Amino acid sequence: MHTETHADSARYVAGLAKLREIDGDAGEQVIEALKDIAPDLARYVIEFPFGDIYQRPGLDLRLREVATVAALTAMGHAQPQLKVHIHGALNVGCTRTEIVELIMQMAVYAGFPAALNGMFAAKEVFRERDGRGTPE
Amino acid sequence: MHTETHADSARYVAGLAKLREIDGDAGEQVIEALKDIAPDLARYVIEFPFGDIYQRPGLDLRLREVATVAALTAMGHAQPQLKVHIHGALNVGCTRTEIVELIMQMAVYAGFPAALNGMFAAKEVFRERDGRGTPE
Amino acid sequence: MHTETHADSARYVAGLAKLREIDGDAGEQVIEALKDIAPDLARYVIEFPFGDIYQRPGLDLRLREVATVAALTAMGHAQPQLKVHIHGALNVGCTRTEIVELIMQMAVYAGFPAALNGMFAAKEVFRERDGRGTPE
Amino acid sequence: MHTETHADSARYVAGLAKLREIDGDAGEQVIEALKDIAPDLARYVIEFPFGDIYQRPGLDLRLREVATVAALTAMGHAQPQLKVHIHGALNVGCTRTEIVELIMQMAVYAGFPAALNGMFAAKEVFRERDGRGTPE
Amino acid sequence: MHTETHADSARYVAGLAKLREIDGDAGEQVIEALKDIAPDLARYVIEFPFGDIYQRPGLDLRLREVATVAALTAMGHAQPQLKVHIHGALNVGCTRTEIVELIMQMAVYAGFPAALNGMFAAKEVFRERDGRGTPE
Amino acid sequence: MHTETHADSARYVAGLAKLREIDGDAGEQVIEALKDIAPDLARYVIEFPFGDIYQRPGLDLRLREVATVAALTAMGHAQPQLKVHIHGALNVGCTRTEIVELIMQMAVYAGFPAALNGMFAAKEVFRERDGRGTPE
């Protein structure tokens, strides 16, 4: 059975900081929404993706977010997470043009419907950011 | 009905050069394999992905290949194309470490089986390149 | 061409009883919604999944619903059916904890977005059941 | 970099006419919705699927729409595009019965949830057409 | 529990005849391969897809096979079944050109990798038929 | 950057023991195959799925493996991992009949091709176990 340990806390603390850096409010809302039903899934989201994977050297955050937005667009069944990571990509330095280009490119690999639905997700994200005056 | 025109030829010529730049021999083998059954699909592969999409400014080739390798790893049903594009990513300047990192990251978004199968594809590609002394 | 026969009726009757046992109202609403557009699809839903498959010995209903909730969470594009089967799993004796655990586990095989979307479906189902005072 | 040429225009003009023939208003709304965020994706939708593929002899439009509705139902993550193409199939001469039959058949290849979700998309499309008095 | 009845036998007999008409030897090999591990799955394959669905009026066999080949190409993870149904489509009157066209069209909806892998499946099927002198 | 800590080791040690309990040799071969290309992915496989998830109370190992085999059969693109987990399910107490039943049931949710390919994976696993005299 799992017992929380000091080093878990270290992964958790580093992961939470990284989640905030990348996903901002959107990431924390996901964590918050899990609190009553599956707090341990919230903890794993922080510890494994953000505490382990996104901490790794070897691929910078901008490329990591490019990879994630591409994958979520292509898979097509995870629109809420796609929106979170379009925010994330912009937060870590991708430009709107880059986001548009990479979603467009998914038409080649996953078909036009996946690219269209990804583009409409980007449109919503850009509008949200315009609404609150977020640069880019 | 489709008729070949001068400007089609321009897209075709630019696309073929881009296909060679990115995918090298592996790309041309795909084109060759289509010649007897569906030569027009070969032409579209050259004209749309490589003559239109990969020609576009706004996202450099290295990021485009990161996006493609991520998407194909996550989708999980296109191992031959994944191998072609791991070659492609290395050909346009991605490092092996970056490839390994982005495939590993797909465990988060598409699950461990997709990441494992992507990693074994990368292992084959790296071995092929070692076998013929291709740098990186 | 298909003609309704006595033994079809037997499969239909057994299937309808099983559908009611497992899915309760939610299952019948699906059947009802198909009546005007595709009544035969409604009939097949009753006859094949519930009249054939769920009648079989060799795997008890609780394990059958665990398998279904896992598959629908992993596939990610069938949220309405996932909700019906989370109800179903609870109706045949799974606990809320078991549902939460198996959806969480799908993060490993289908990625975190699929697990998160499955968990939010479970959250809605639990709230619906709380609202009408359904035990568990 | 892409430069618009005379022959692009020819593909574009032929594609736009075909898009109108098949998808009617629904197709143009998609194009319109892309105008501010990714006008080039709108152009590619017109040029490649409708200017190249749907122009081809060898498979009549009715069979092309049967193929598209089947694929989108089976893939399951592209409900907006599925609705556009159910309209499209009816616009080029498929009957409502044929649509219902082919969506039902997808239960065999992609499972009942995909078929059910496809059927509910068809139900919405039929209602829209009834609402505006579109024959079939 | 399931008990074999007269009317099951009627569905089975009609289904087996339809399976032979559409899929020929390839269909029977699938049934044969299931005999030792899951004979009831073999029976369901015969009864539901071929005894129920493919028996239905409202969509002729040629369109049914167009739908199936499109769906299996787009889904991308069922190459053995895709090959069986390319044979099936040709057996019920589709031309090789139609097969090539509809697989090519899937590039639009499911991406080029799915279309390429579908085309290579068609290439194998055409070669098998050439090898045994099957018309078309 | 990640640094190995004492508590990581605890998760790793517990995870490795669990991996051996469930997947036996097949699991260790996966770990071994990753050693030269991505040892950290091997470590994460041990730490997160087996060190975190499979350690959790609330869902017994037999139900966890039922969920995994169902999901992998339904997803359809992870045959090597499906085989590993059919072994795993049998190792933790599922019967061959249960495996056959749950794979068969996936015909309902993911279509017959996914169920057929899952069943042929099970057939290979059963033959491997017969070959080395593994009970069940």
Side-chain angles (χ1 to χ4, degrees), chain D residues 4-103:
Chain D
E4 193 131 327
T5 66
H6 180 67
D8 279 315
S9 298
R11 288 169 73 226
Y12 186 91
V13 170
L16 190 57
K18 190 61 74 180
L19 173 74
R20 283 179 181 142
E21 177 187 352
I22 298 174
D23 289 343
D25 288 353
E28 292 200 67
Q29 280 160 25
V30 172
I31 298 308
E32 195 54 39
L34 289 168
K35 279 288 160 66
D36 58 343
I37 187 169
D40 284 355
L41 180 56
R43 182 163 60 80
Y44 294 139
V45 167
I46 290 167
E47 288 178 352
F48 176 57
F50 293 97
D52 286 339
I53 297 293
Y54 282 93
Q55 301 286 332
R56 296 176 60 84
L59 191 67
D60 71 45
L61 277 185
R62 217 165 60 91
L63 268 71
R64 288 196 183 277
E65 286 299 321
V66 164
T68 298
V69 171
L72 293 174
T73 300
M75 295 173 77
H77 63 257
Q79 293 301 97
Q81 290 76 28
L82 175 57
K83 285 187 60 185
V84 168
H85 281 281
I86 292 171
H87 276 296
L90 294 167
N91 290 342
V92 300
C94 291
T95 65
R96 289 191 185 189
T97 299
E98 286 173 333
I99 302 292
V100 165
E101 286 297 324
L102 82 88
I103 290 174

Side-chain angles (χ1 to χ4, degrees), chain C residues 23-67:
Chain C
D23 289 342
D25 288 352
E28 293 200 66
Q29 280 160 25
V30 171
I31 299 308
E32 194 54 40
L34 289 168
K35 278 290 160 64
D36 58 342
I37 188 169
D40 285 355
L41 180 55
R43 182 163 60 80
Y44 294 138
V45 168
I46 291 166
E47 289 178 351
F48 176 57
F50 294 95
D52 287 339
I53 297 294
Y54 283 92
Q55 302 287 333
R56 296 176 60 84
L59 191 68
D60 71 46
L61 276 186
R62 216 164 60 91
L63 268 70
R64 288 196 182 276
E65 286 300 320
V66 164

Side-chain angles (χ1 to χ4, degrees), chain F:
Chain F
M1 207 195 76
H2 191 91
T3 33
E4 193 131 326
T5 65
H6 179 67
D8 279 315
S9 299
R11 289 169 73 228
Y12 186 91
V13 169
L16 189 59
K18 190 60 75 180
L19 173 74
R20 282 181 180 140
E21 176 187 352
I22 298 174
D23 289 343
D25 288 352
E28 293 200 66
Q29 281 160 23
V30 171
I31 298 309
E32 194 55 39
L34 289 168
K35 279 288 162 66
D36 57 343
I37 188 168
D40 284 354
L41 180 56
R43 181 164 61 80
Y44 294 139
V45 168
I46 290 167
E47 289 179 352
F48 177 57
F50 294 96
D52 287 338
I53 297 292
Y54 283 93
Q55 301 287 330
R56 296 176 60 83
L59 190 69
D60 71 46
L61 276 186
R62 216 164 60 92
L63 268 70
R64 288 196 182 275
E65 286 299 322
V66 164
T68 298
V69 170
L72 293 175
T73 299
M75 296 174 76
H77 64 255
Q79 294 300 98
Q81 290 76 28
L82 175 57
K83 286 187 60 186
V84 168
H85 281 280
I86 293 172
H87 277 296
L90 294 168
N91 290 343
V92 299
C94 291
T95 65
R96 290 190 185 190
T97 298
E98 286 172 332
I99 301 291
V100 165
E101 285 298 322
L102 81 90
I103 290 174
M104 192 185 295
Q105 183 175 320
M106 291 304 105
V108 174
Y109 298 102
F112 280 84
L116 290 171
N117 293 331
M119 202 62 85
F120 295 132
K123 193 169 170 171
E124 285 179 52
V125 169
F126 295 173
R127 209 177 306 165
E128 285 166 23
R129 294 171 84 90
D130 288 341
R132 59 185 198 231
T134 309
E136 260 297 285

Side-chain angles (χ1 to χ4, degrees), chain A:
Chain A
M1 207 195 75
H2 191 91
T3 33
E4 193 131 326
T5 66
H6 180 67
D8 278 316
S9 299
R11 288 169 73 227
Y12 186 90
V13 170
L16 189 57
K18 189 61 74 180
L19 174 74
R20 282 179 182 143
E21 176 187 354
I22 298 175
D23 289 343
D25 287 352
E28 293 200 66
Q29 280 160 25
V30 172
I31 299 308
E32 195 53 39
L34 288 168
K35 279 289 161 65
D36 58 343
I37 188 168
D40 284 354
L41 180 56
R43 182 163 60 80
Y44 294 138
V45 167
I46 291 166
E47 289 179 351
F48 176 57
F50 294 96
D52 287 339
I53 297 293
Y54 283 93
Q55 301 288 331
R56 297 176 60 83
L59 190 68
D60 71 44
L61 276 186
R62 215 164 61 90
L63 269 71
R64 289 196 182 276
E65 285 300 321
V66 164
T68 298
V69 171
L72 293 175
T73 300
M75 296 174 77
H77 63 255
Q79 294 301 98
Q81 290 77 28
L82 175 56
K83 285 186 60 186
V84 169
H85 281 281
I86 293 171
H87 277 297
L90 295 167
N91 291 343
V92 299
C94 290
T95 65
R96 290 192 185 189
T97 298
E98 286 172 334
I99 302 291
V100 166
E101 286 296 323
L102 82 88
I103 290 175
M104 191 185 297
Q105 182 174 321
M106 291 303 107
V108 174
Y109 298 103
F112 279 84
L116 290 171
N117 293 331
M119 202 63 85
F120 295 133
K123 193 169 169 172
E124 285 180 52
V125 168
F126 295 173
R127 209 177 305 166
E128 286 167 22
R129 294 171 84 90
D130 288 342
R132 59 184 199 231
T134 309
E136 260 297 287

Side-chain angles (χ1 to χ4, degrees), chain E residues 23-65:
Chain E
D23 288 343
D25 288 352
E28 293 200 68
Q29 280 160 25
V30 172
I31 299 308
E32 195 55 38
L34 289 168
K35 280 288 160 67
D36 57 343
I37 188 169
D40 284 354
L41 180 56
R43 182 163 60 80
Y44 294 139
V45 168
I46 290 167
E47 288 179 351
F48 177 57
F50 293 97
D52 287 338
I53 297 293
Y54 283 94
Q55 301 287 331
R56 296 176 61 83
L59 191 69
D60 70 46
L61 276 186
R62 216 164 61 91
L63 268 70
R64 289 196 182 276
E65 287 299 321

